[in-house]
Amino acid sequence: MAYIKYKELTKYFNFNAEIPMDNLPKYVNDFVNSDETLIGAYKTSRDKGIFTDKKMILFDLPPLTDEKKIHIIPYSSISSGAIVFNSSSAEILLSLDSGYQMRLDFVRLGAEEKTRLRIIFTEMLTKADKKNK
């Protein structure tokens, strides 16, 4: 019997603003467990990305549809990652254990925002690395 692994096309998110922790939509709490700590939140014109100390939750609202996708990605499912800094932007490139590729773009960043993003990325890879030990 053949086994075909499901693999969605590569997904991109272009986050352009940070969301203050006290201004998160109430539905975010439905996806964050009581033992998790929120460490960052970003948005695009439609989408949102919430980062805890254990997982990322990506709310994906494709244009011109009523469809809404919610991606919950535990950091333990990350097999490799990279962060690329440019003058006012950054990219987080991730490969997941499933073979799924993901790129998170962050635009209009200053030095302080880059530092916060570096902390989130370090948290992601620290949790990903713990599964291998």
Side-chain angles (χ1 to χ4, degrees), residues 30-83:
D30 295 338
F31 299 94
V32 178
N33 298 328
S34 60
D35 65 336
E36 291 178 277
T37 304
L38 288 169
I39 57 175
Y42 296 86
K43 65 180 180 175
T44 69
S45 57
R46 298 177 314 271
D47 306 328
K48 290 180 182 47
I50 310 300
F51 300 88
T52 74
D53 60 339
K54 296 183 180 181
K55 66 186 173 205
M56 70 178 106
I57 308 155
L58 304 170
F59 298 92
D60 183 10
L61 301 162
L64 307 174
T65 69
D66 290 337
E67 184 178 89
K68 180 185 216 178
K69 288 185 182 179
I70 302 169
H71 305 272
I72 300 174
I73 302 167
Y75 298 146
S76 61
S77 70
I78 297 172
S79 57
S80 65
I83 190 166

Side-chain angles (χ1 to χ4, degrees), residues 2-120:
Y3 174 75
I4 299 173
K5 195 174 199 180
Y6 174 76
K7 182 179 174 186
E8 190 172 327
L9 296 174
T10 300
K11 184 67 189 166
Y12 301 99
F13 288 88
N14 295 302
F15 297 113
N16 57 31
E18 214 169 336
I19 305 171
M21 293 298 177
D22 58 348
N23 198 21
L24 290 173
K26 294 194 185 302
Y27 62 82
V28 168
N29 292 326
D30 295 338
F31 299 94
V32 178
N33 298 328
S34 60
D35 65 336
E36 291 178 277
T37 304
L38 288 169
I39 57 175
Y42 296 86
K43 65 180 180 175
T44 69
S45 57
R46 298 177 314 271
D47 306 328
K48 290 180 182 47
I50 310 300
F51 300 88
T52 74
D53 60 339
K54 296 183 180 181
K55 66 186 173 205
M56 70 178 106
I57 308 155
L58 304 170
F59 298 92
D60 183 10
L61 301 162
L64 307 174
T65 69
D66 290 337
E67 184 178 89
K68 180 185 216 178
K69 288 185 182 179
I70 302 169
H71 305 272
I72 300 174
I73 302 167
Y75 298 146
S76 61
S77 70
I78 297 172
S79 57
S80 65
I83 190 166
V84 179
F85 289 104
N86 298 307
S87 60
S88 64
S89 65
E91 297 174 349
I92 292 180
L93 308 168
L94 300 172
S95 294
L96 305 179
D97 291 341
S98 64
Y100 184 65
Q101 302 289 312
M102 181 173 285
R103 185 174 84 202
L104 306 173
D105 291 329
F106 299 83
V107 297
R108 294 183 232 145
L109 298 176
E112 189 175 312
E113 290 90 358
K114 287 181 181 180
T115 299
R116 282 196 296 275
L117 192 58
R118 191 177 301 115
I119 291 167
I120 291 171

